[in-house]
Amino acid sequence: MKYNALTRHYFEATAAAGILEGPGVGRGASGSRALGTWVQFDVAAARGRVVAARFLAFGCPHTIAISAWVAESAVGGVLEPSLPADIESLREQFAVPVEKLGRLLTVEDAWSAAVVAARALAGAPEG
Amino acid sequence: MYLDHAATTPVDPRVAAAMSRCLTADGVFGNPGSTAHDYGEAAGNLVETARLQVARAVGAEAADVIFTSGATEADNLAILGAAEYYRGAGRHVVTARTEHEAVLDTCRELERRGFEVTYLKPDRRGAIGVDQVEAALRSDTVLVSLMHVNNETGVIADIEAVAAACARRGVRLHVDAAQSVGKLALGFTRAGIDYLALSAHKAYGPKGVGALLVSRRRGAQLKPLQFGGGQERGLRSGTVPTHQVVGMGLAFEIAAASTAADVQRLTVLRDRLWAGLEAQGGALRNGAPELCVPHVLNVSFEGVEGESLLAAVSPFIAVSRGSACASAHGEPSYVLRALGRSDQLAQSSLRFSLGTPSTQQHVDAAIAAVGRALRHLRKLGGA
């Protein structure tokens, strides 16, 4: 399978890979390694904004690349469960085949779970 | 760096030169069926030389050789043609789950035509035992179809034992030997095989040509699948492409002459490759080493996803996940699943296949590329 330049870049240059530790870090995961796709995000937030994010991902290059992009792009933005870009826009930017749409939803679910966890730790209302 | 010789091989320059001499007006461009003039006769002579070269390479007689467009067509012709010819004697066929899709899809077509097919499951070594074949034979079995060398794992079948078992029961045997030439000595007549499918492009010949050997000595019969001209003993009508079969004949002659030396050299390289990959940790070899051809090494890697593994190594080495024909689907290899591998391990496998151009430097570079990919992906995956 061929991958576009953006996918290749984030698949190979994964500066945001890893985990965050410490109080106030929300962690969320989705998927299953046994089923081929698993994503985890750690999110640190302050005053309702993302100050740091890391990811781990087991999956195809699109899954890894988009997870890396999300972890990088979310920093500085508002702490919210939706991804920094909508699924259709990500699918186009990263040239994700339509049959892989479910894997993008796994990324979204993991991010959403991490944000919910971070909000809970901060005592902020969910939503 | 090309390590996918089980998918295809580059054409030997000597082969390409011989082929090019059969194309233009200053060469042997005649129709080999046009025996009324010198042009056709010259082409016909080259075709018969090629037929002899192919036959000699696999221990057959020239009259057994039916040229086709490749091994897929040869498999189709053997399986459909034999099953239909012997339909009156029974409608049961035996094959294995680990066969190439050219065989499996053709067997599914037989099922649509009212035949019953038994699909044998290999043991964990990847082998189909002759006892399994014997146990599957029935009074209405007309054909057994097994491959000589598995295209994904490189496991070699004991075709001579299977042929003997089939002969005892009066059942015809078809063997897909697309991966064999140049890597294994093969005695078509001595082994007692009825039909044998061959491919030129796996042995440094051109794509688009292959052959089905049909044993005249054993009286093997077929119903043809295509009509119009009666070429190739009436079993495969259509003008014989002189340049293609000349290329196949020369490629097979060269391969047969170099088999022993290549086997020794490739075995050393394959073992070095496995040692290097095993040292990375979490590497599981698919197919029992003592049963495998020297040029194929199939390995599953723990803790990584297969598509990402291939994407990570592909800038450095050309390898494949399973067969070239099946890898386009992106599904876990049905061959490795049949060997008992989990979906995840079947999906995270790479097939390395060495060839004449392969060197120790290629092998070392492959080990390094896979090592980098594994470290990167296992770190990302939290393994």
Side-chain angles (χ1 to χ4, degrees):
Chain A
M1 179 176 284
K2 292 286 182 192
Y3 307 96
N4 70 12
L6 189 64
T7 302
R8 267 279 167 206
H9 171 76
Y10 279 99
F11 174 63
E12 290 164 3
T14 47
I19 59 173
L20 293 174
E21 298 195 73
V25 173
R27 174 170 292 175
S30 180
S32 148
R33 287 187 179 87
L35 296 177
T37 304
W38 173 84
V39 179
Q40 173 181 292
F41 286 104
D42 285 348
V43 182
R47 290 182 290 281
R49 303 195 84 86
V50 177
V51 295
R54 294 287 184 274
F55 80 98
L56 294 175
F58 177 98
C60 70
H62 291 109
T63 302
I64 291 172
I66 291 173
S67 299
W69 180 87
V70 168
E72 180 183 292
S73 303
V75 175
V78 176
L79 180 68
E80 56 184 2
S82 56
L83 296 177
D86 64 68
I87 290 286
E88 189 51 36
S89 163
L90 287 173
R91 202 175 73 74
E92 282 182 20
Q93 286 181 63
F94 287 85
V96 182
V98 68
E99 64 270 20
K100 286 188 174 181
L101 189 59
R103 301 181 197 191
L104 299 196
L105 298 176
T106 300
V107 176
E108 185 176 48
D109 288 348
W111 176 255
S112 178
V115 168
V116 167
R119 282 180 168 178
L121 289 168
E126 294 185 8
Chain B
M1 190 174 310
Y2 189 78
L3 292 175
D4 201 14
H5 292 86
T8 195
T9 56
V11 175
D12 185 300
R14 293 166 288 181
V15 170
M19 291 175 68
S20 71
R21 292 193 289 271
C22 301
L23 292 168
T24 51
D26 58 345
V28 186
F29 70 92
N31 186 326
S34 299
T35 52
H37 51 65
D38 290 349
Y39 297 92
E41 190 177 342
N45 288 340
L46 289 184
V47 168
E48 294 315 308
T49 298
R51 200 182 303 281
L52 188 59
Q53 289 168 316
V54 170
R56 282 180 176 159
V58 294
E61 296 168 21
D64 296 333
V65 179
I66 307 297
F67 285 113
T68 65
S69 64
T72 294
E73 185 191 333
D75 284 329
N76 273 260
L77 179 56
I79 294 168
L80 296 178
E84 291 293 354
Y85 188 91
Y86 295 109
R87 189 185 188 100
R91 295 188 187 182
H92 179 237
V93 171
V94 176
T95 188
R97 296 185 192 184
T98 45
E99 291 293 304
H100 190 277
E101 286 173 323
V103 168
L104 294 178
D105 286 352
T106 307
C107 285
R108 288 184 196 108
E109 171 59 20
L110 278 184
E111 290 177 311
R112 286 188 285 273
R113 296 183 184 190
F115 285 79
E116 192 180 339
V117 181
T118 297
Y119 298 92
L120 301 176
K121 186 179 178 188
D123 61 25
R124 287 190 178 271
R125 301 174 307 156
I128 300 287
V130 66
D131 52 332
Q132 285 177 272
V133 176
E134 284 184 304
L137 297 179
R138 310 188 322 205
S139 59
D140 61 342
T141 307
V142 292
L143 182 69
V144 170
S145 180
L146 289 178
M147 67 203 324
H148 187 208
V149 175
N150 186 275
N151 55 305
E152 290 195 31
T153 61
V155 168
I156 306 162
D158 186 354
I159 286 300
E160 293 197 10
V162 172
C166 289
R168 283 195 295 275
R169 297 285 293 270
V171 174
R172 296 292 177 184
L173 173 64
H174 166 57
V175 177
D176 178 340
Q179 295 288 349
S180 306
V181 172
K183 287 88 184 178
L184 281 177
L186 186 59
F188 174 72
T189 302
R190 177 175 44 78
I193 300 166
D194 294 291
Y195 314 99
L196 188 84
L198 297 168
S199 169
H201 76 96
K202 310 285 190 185
Y204 307 93
K207 295 166 187 65
V209 63
L212 177 66
L213 273 59
V214 182
S215 176
R216 286 170 72 107
R217 185 175 294 204
R218 294 179 51 76
Q221 301 291 335
L222 288 175
K223 273 197 174 180
L225 304 183
Q226 64 186 60
F227 305 91
Q231 289 90 344
E232 300 299 280
R233 290 165 50 190
L235 295 174
R236 204 277 186 180
S237 287
T239 300
V240 177
T242 309
H243 63 299
Q244 297 286 79
V245 303
V246 161
M248 181 174 185
L250 182 55
F252 272 40
E253 182 176 272
I254 293 168
S258 60
T259 296
D262 258 11
V263 164
Q264 194 172 17
R265 194 178 69 84
L266 294 178
T267 300
V268 171
L269 290 178
R270 191 266 320 269
D271 291 348
R272 183 182 181 90
L273 178 57
W274 169 238
L277 296 176
E278 190 179 27
Q280 307 295 328
L284 305 169
R285 189 166 178 174
N286 296 312
E290 70 276 13
L291 298 179
C292 287
V293 282
H295 70 299
V296 176
L297 177 65
N298 191 310
V299 183
S300 290
F301 296 94
E302 293 176 330
V304 293
E305 194 271 344
E307 186 185 334
S308 280
L309 178 59
L310 188 62
V313 301
S314 63
F316 311 101
I317 54 171
V319 293
S320 66
R321 291 161 65 195
S323 72
C325 307
S327 60
H329 308 329
E331 296 292 322
S333 157
Y334 65 88
V335 172
L336 300 187
R337 291 183 65 189
L339 266 62
R341 292 291 188 216
S342 67
D343 277 3
Q344 203 245 303
L345 284 174
Q347 203 252 6
S348 65
S349 67
L350 293 178
R351 179 188 68 180
F352 305 83
S353 47
L354 307 167
T356 301
S358 302
T359 65
Q360 184 175 309
Q361 287 71 33
H362 292 170
V363 164
D364 291 347
I367 294 166
V370 173
R372 282 193 302 272
L374 291 174
R375 286 190 292 278
H376 176 65
L377 294 173
R378 285 173 176 163
K379 183 180 166 195
L380 288 182

